Amino acid sequence: MTYEDLLFSLSWAQPELLLAGFALVGTLLGAMLGNRATGLLTGAAVAALLAAGAMALLHLPETPQDIFAGAMSIDAFGAFAKAIIAFAAAATLVLGADHFTRLQDRQFEFPLITVTAVLGMFVMVSANDLIALYVGVELQSLAAYVLAAWRRDDARSSEAGLKYFVLGALSSGLLLFGCSYVYGFAGSVQFDAIAAAAVEPGIGLIFGLVMVLAGLAFKMGAAPFHMWTPDVYEGAPTPITALFAAAPKVAAGVLMARMLYEPFAGMEQQWQQVIAVLAGASMLVGAFAGLVQTNLKRLMAYSSIANMGFVLMALAAGAPEGAQAALIYIAVYLPATIGVFAVMMALRRRGEAIETIADLAGVAQRHVGFAALLTILFFSLAGIPPLAGFWGKFEAFQATLGAGLVPLAVVGAIAAVVAAGYYLRVLATVWFSPAAESDVRPGSGTATTVAVIGAALSFPVLLIVMAGLERMADAAVRASF
């Protein structure tokens, strides 16, 4: 790569450079000032994430540009995903700042590790060869392992971090082994060369494809690779759980789409079956296992599994309709998910954040505003019209039926109805259960603000801009694939 090529690459990698620069400078500042720098670093991290997301959207080439000798590709599809990731991570950083301040646990490492994880996600969604793919996945994963075990003196958090690390290492090995098979049978790590070899795939390339998809399915939390999700969600601090439920899901889903529609585009007949099975299993496991949960964080874990099933169902339809539906679904799923975690942090019982469904008893009798927020957010997650979640599911079903995957759509419909049952069970507790002796009280104003924004983006604000969102997703997909 020549000096001119390097300058050209750096000019298009400005969002990544901004995040990397912040992580380096922030580390030095934190080392000098310690926890006194936490507030400054958190505010700067939120600003850096929002700037990186806006930069990714506004600084786009007219046609996709390969940078760093083809290791990464800058296109509208990746830019759309980067903006969603950055804004979701910024929201969870705001929740985290409030959470750790209240606990007098102002650890300056939290914003730095979060930004590092987002940097890995940015590399994931722009990866254009197998090496960049693996580097991005591991950068994000290593930061996530630390975040999962954040509360070192808490047995549940330590257990969650250890489980995540062991299972994550296994999935990373599976992903790397699959990449080595693909490289061996395609003769290159570049996506375009793999795409040429995939026109007439052999058994080795198919084997590598399945292993790569299995590794990425773990990162998405898709069944049957979901075993880490409930324990990690329950054990990690709530703002970190909100981060896990949001940004990494986007990165893994977009990377999955890029792998399917670029290097393995010629193997649709093979991967469509794998994706359909992953989608069906995720939707059913997420729906039925969530029915028996009493802990809100575990319930949201199974909700995320089911929602990733709907994303995979859309991806199984193929490009461009499937990619467009997946982007729209992710965009409408995140505000409601983050909003639910924000409400959990905003309400306190006996001075502690609520964690169980029973803790929500009597909320409507004392704090009807929070009950209304939860109703909007859970109705959106359940896909009840006219909320934004309904339109996300509508797009996914439309793409699936358009591709002729009727059995998968039927499975999705069953899962959507079953999952609505546990959302409604939570709301029944909120509205109709009598208040407990120890009343739930509002705590954090910051978390309340995030919850209100999440509800507004679920209804009615997002409905007003829904047509614009659909046009943006369509333009991003058609400009990239």
Side-chain angles (χ1 to χ4, degrees):
M1 185 169 60
T2 65
Y3 180 70
E4 289 75 14
D5 292 335
L6 178 60
L7 291 179
F8 175 80
S9 299
L10 293 176
S11 68
W12 289 111
Q14 292 178 14
E16 289 81 3
L17 292 175
L18 173 61
L19 297 181
F22 169 81
L24 292 173
V25 174
T27 300
L28 292 175
L29 186 62
M32 291 187 294
L33 300 179
N35 284 334
R36 291 176 296 166
T38 303
L40 173 63
L41 289 176
T42 300
V46 171
L49 288 170
L50 295 177
M55 198 181 297
L57 276 182
L58 300 176
H59 186 56
L60 265 180
E62 294 183 0
T63 58
Q65 296 289 336
D66 293 341
I67 61 175
F68 298 121
M72 295 174 63
S73 179
I74 304 301
D75 55 25
F77 187 66
F80 193 101
K82 288 176 185 178
I84 297 175
I85 291 169
F87 297 143
T92 57
L93 260 185
V94 171
L95 293 177
D98 180 79
H99 174 79
F100 293 120
T101 299
R102 185 173 58 250
L103 295 180
Q104 296 182 344
D105 188 19
R106 296 171 59 84
Q107 294 165 308
F108 73 89
E109 296 94 340
F110 176 64
L112 299 177
I113 296 175
T114 301
V115 169
T116 304
V118 172
L119 175 60
M121 297 175 209
F122 274 31
V123 175
M124 287 171 64
V125 301
S126 291
N128 198 43
D129 68 19
L130 297 177
I131 296 176
L133 178 154
Y134 191 73
V135 169
V137 168
E138 286 307 293
L139 181 58
Q140 178 264 321
S141 298
L142 290 172
Y145 301 150
V146 177
L147 292 173
W150 192 259
R151 293 187 299 206
R152 291 166 293 183
D153 56 346
D154 187 299
R156 288 192 308 170
S157 182
S158 299
E159 179 185 357
L162 182 60
K163 286 182 179 179
Y164 194 17
F165 174 74
V166 172
L167 295 173
L170 179 63
S171 74
S172 295
L174 193 67
L175 177 63
L176 187 59
F177 196 34
C179 289
S180 68
Y181 259 86
V182 172
Y183 169 70
F185 285 91
S188 175
V189 296
Q190 296 285 337
F191 283 0
D192 53 356
I194 297 172
V199 175
E200 296 180 1
I203 186 65
L205 196 58
I206 295 174
F207 187 69
L209 165 66
V210 172
M211 295 182 72
V212 169
L213 294 182
L216 293 179
F218 176 92
K219 304 303 179 183
M220 292 181 70
F225 307 100
H226 66 285
M227 64 289 294
W228 61 272
T229 310
D231 290 334
V232 172
Y233 274 45
E234 183 180 10
T238 303
I240 293 175
T241 303
L243 177 67
F244 287 166
K249 305 288 187 181
V250 181
V254 170
L255 178 56
M256 178 83 78
R258 195 175 289 282
M259 292 293 291
L260 297 178
Y261 301 150
E262 290 185 357
F264 298 118
M267 300 172 62
E268 182 172 351
Q269 184 177 0
Q270 287 81 13
W271 61 249
Q272 190 177 65
Q273 302 172 39
V274 178
I275 298 301
V277 170
L278 290 173
S282 299
M283 290 185 292
L284 292 177
V285 168
F288 284 96
L291 290 173
V292 297
Q293 302 304 315
T294 58
N295 184 284
L296 274 171
K297 292 165 77 173
R298 293 184 73 89
L299 184 145
M300 291 302 295
Y302 285 105
S303 171
S304 75
I305 294 168
N307 280 294
M308 287 303 102
F310 285 105
V311 172
L312 288 169
M313 183 178 75
L315 293 179
E321 290 80 8
Q324 177 187 341
L327 273 184
I328 293 174
Y329 192 94
I330 288 171
V332 301
Y333 154 78
L334 289 187
T337 300
I338 295 174
V340 170
F341 285 108
V343 172
M344 290 172 59
M345 293 182 60
L347 293 176
R348 321 286 296 172
R349 185 185 290 276
R350 302 186 188 94
E352 298 291 334
I354 61 171
E355 284 202 4
T356 67
I357 297 175
D359 287 339
L360 294 172
V363 168
Q365 301 169 25
R366 308 288 175 85
H367 312 290
V368 67
F370 283 104
L373 286 176
L374 282 172
T375 302
I376 294 173
L377 295 168
F378 277 122
F379 272 18
S380 183
L381 287 174
I384 295 176
L387 297 170
F390 167 77
W391 299 104
K393 284 186 170 61
F394 177 79
E395 293 284 346
F397 278 109
Q398 188 177 47
T400 305
L401 292 173
L405 302 175
V406 178
L408 182 58
V410 171
V411 172
I414 294 172
V417 172
V418 173
Y422 57 71
Y423 296 128
L424 294 175
R425 179 164 63 95
V426 175
L427 294 178
T429 302
V430 170
W431 285 97
F432 303 117
S433 295
E437 292 182 5
S438 180
D439 187 23
V440 172
R441 300 180 183 278
S444 166
T446 304
T448 302
T449 302
V450 173
V452 170
I453 293 174
L457 289 175
S458 298
F459 174 80
V461 173
L462 195 57
L463 292 181
I464 298 173
V465 300
M466 196 69 196
L469 176 64
E470 187 171 355
R471 285 195 299 270
M472 288 176 60
D474 179 66
V477 169
R478 295 187 185 278
S480 304
F481 299 120

